[in-house]
Amino acid sequence: MHLSAAARLWGPPGLLLTLVLHPTLCVSSHRDYCVLGAGPAGLQMASFLQRAGRDYVVFERASAPGSFFTRYPRHRKLISINKRYTGKANAEFNLRHDWNSLLSHDPRLLFRHYSRAYFPDAGDMVRYLGDFADRLGLHVLYNTTITHVTLDKDQRAWNGHYFILIDQKGHTYQCSVLLVATGVSVPNQVDFPGSEYAEGYESVSVDPGDFVGQNVLILGRGNSAFETAENILGVTNFIHMLSRSRVRLSWATHYVGDLRAINNGLLDTYQLKSLDGLLESDLTDLAIVKDHEGRFHITLKFFLEETSANQSADAIPLPQDDNDNFAMRVAYDRVIRCLGWRFDFSIFNQSLRLSSGSEFSKKYPLIRASYESKGSRGLFILGTASHSVDYRKSAGGFIHGFRYTVRAVHRLLEHRHHGVAWPSTELPITQLTNAIIRRVNEASGLYQMFSVLADVILLKENASAFEYLEEFPMQMLAQLETLTGRPARHGLFVVNMEYGKNFSGPDKDVFFYDRSVGHTEDAWLSNFLHPVIYFYRRLPTGGEVPPRTVAPAAAHGHPPRRGRLPDRLDRARGTHPAPAALPGELSGHRPAELLRRVLFPVHPDAPEAAPVLPAGVPENAGAHGHREPAAAWRGEWAPAGLCHHGRAPGGQQPAAWGTRARRSPPVSGASTPIP
């Protein structure tokens, strides 16, 4: 290790002097992989590294895994559902509704064995993570706080440099790949006059008895704010909640980080004429003034700036002096700050370039869609801190989402550093229908990481067979061959899960009359999560595929109509690959005909008009999955309905189809979720 070169990069004053005074620090323990944090994401990565037989270590500052959950949430009830019963024996399907378990091959390590509660206690998560680490024999160094991380350039290293880590005792460690799973742990604070009077969510009392008969102002409008309000709702005089943004309800946005119904009791009391209230304002425009009785008033910073410094707080004008705002006439006894969390950048040297200084990158590190740092090759961000990839879009900031993104990162590392190609299954083309339908109906990774992780189907020469790759980061599609070691030379399908374009919005009625779609021909109109299939003649070119190009905001170019499947997609001939681009014996067919033949393969001894249907599809199903009325609503599985779906990743114009995997009667207001 070129320690002298690394020392020049180390920022804190006196660190080089410390090295001189303590020469033992120069002795470094090397690992191929270092993982920071023994929370859910860190342990999940450790389990994959352990199973692959890799050289790794996990650093954890506490004496046991899951230290975050020993303190948070403050009122101890998790909002991640623990659905113990689904009526299914399929383990993969059941994970769709298990938001707490990590991935492992040990059936004892399912969270349903640790709590019977639908919304479990945080202590159960601590116990679960401890057993996960112990039973799998994961290599964790407890009571080890990494205080500084920097780079040591060395051409012999995997990525052209080593990562140098220093702990609280001055011990140094060296690794080739650094995997950061420390979460977001620094409370967000807004600096405004009087902000020092606010108590933080992280330290405020959780005893309702401390709030009896008080007027309380809560700053913030997320789950921590409503969780705090729910705890004291029955003992306060009133609670006001102030934030610059509107309330976003998770059942309306489909984003699990928005306000969950379990915590929204204050919305009832507000809307049903009780004393509680919601206020909207930018905190940076406000000021908190403390009067002579020690109570707090909200005013505008403008008024405070115009007031002479030698005037008493009681002489400062308040908004209600000019505006009859009854709700804010009474002073507050307590002000509580519940503004969320951000990533702790303090231990990382600036040479790692984890943050650009923009507002968004102050909350999350700058990373690529592959979860690798944009500033340092070989540094990956895992878990909650990686949520910048799909913030407010998917579930990557939560256990039920990032357990799959962590697995994707491990697969990328296996190929990059150990020559192990991305896992795949090769099957004859006649099995493609069943392969797609099985994944659409069962897969948890596709279901939870919708629009982020997608299955990729690589066609073989002459479309005689295919390789099926599961849960690849779809924004990295242009680099699929490099990242997976799998060639894509004869065309490929991308299977993704997406919500409808009207699924949420501040002025949307998510319970609108026609939200349920009962016909495969209209599947692309569904507001609910549904599979969409894209066909590529070749991989898109360029770097990362821009986000959201897979699910364009604009309406579909030309809605499908009843009739022959090929006619539906080939109306806009210029938007699809030329017939010569299609593989082998299918090259004489148009793109829609290709997919029809792949999804509904023709038996060699049967006429082309009589395709062999997959198992479970009724005999009267046509090429596009439509059934006659007599058998229309029996609930059988049907082939995917297909429709053109606009531009796909990379700006290309592939053939793309929205699908629904199950038929259900077109009952107004009924949900038709994929089972």
Side-chain angles (χ1 to χ4, degrees), residues 37-51 56 58 64-66 95 98 100-111 114 124-140 142 399 402-403 406:
L43 295 182
Q44 184 68 89
M45 176 55 77
S47 70
F48 293 135
L49 294 171
Q50 177 97 342
R51 188 170 179 82
Y56 78 95
V58 181
L95 279 172
D98 175 352
N100 300 285
S101 294
L102 298 179
L103 305 177
S104 80
H105 291 79
D106 188 340
R108 297 173 300 173
L109 292 175
L110 292 172
F111 192 84
Y114 288 79
D124 296 328
M125 177 59 73
V126 175
R127 186 163 54 92
Y128 170 75
L129 294 175
D131 282 358
F132 190 89
D134 291 343
R135 288 183 176 175
L136 298 182
L138 304 182
H139 305 154
V140 184
Y142 296 109
I399 293 175
F402 66 62
R403 61 191 177 195
V406 170

Side-chain angles (χ1 to χ4, degrees), residues 294-318:
R295 307 182 83 192
F296 306 106
H297 300 264
I298 299 296
T299 188
L300 296 175
K301 185 165 58 176
F302 170 79
F303 292 151
L304 193 65
E305 291 170 346
E306 286 196 335
T307 303
S308 174
N310 57 10
Q311 283 187 298
S312 67
D314 300 278
I316 296 173
L318 300 176

Side-chain angles (χ1 to χ4, degrees), residues 17 36 67 99 139 249 318 344 368 378 386 608 645 663:
L17 178 61
L36 296 188
S67 59
W99 290 12
H139 305 154
L249 302 167
L318 300 176
D344 185 1
R368 305 182 188 280
S386 70
E608 184 171 340
H645 203 76
R663 299 301 306 271

Side-chain angles (χ1 to χ4, degrees), residues 395-418:
F398 312 91
I399 293 175
H400 61 290
F402 66 62
R403 61 191 177 195
Y404 301 106
T405 62
V406 170
R407 181 164 66 182
V409 169
H410 177 254
R411 288 170 172 172
L412 295 174
L413 291 171
E414 282 292 292
H415 175 59
R416 177 187 289 184
H417 298 304
H418 308 288

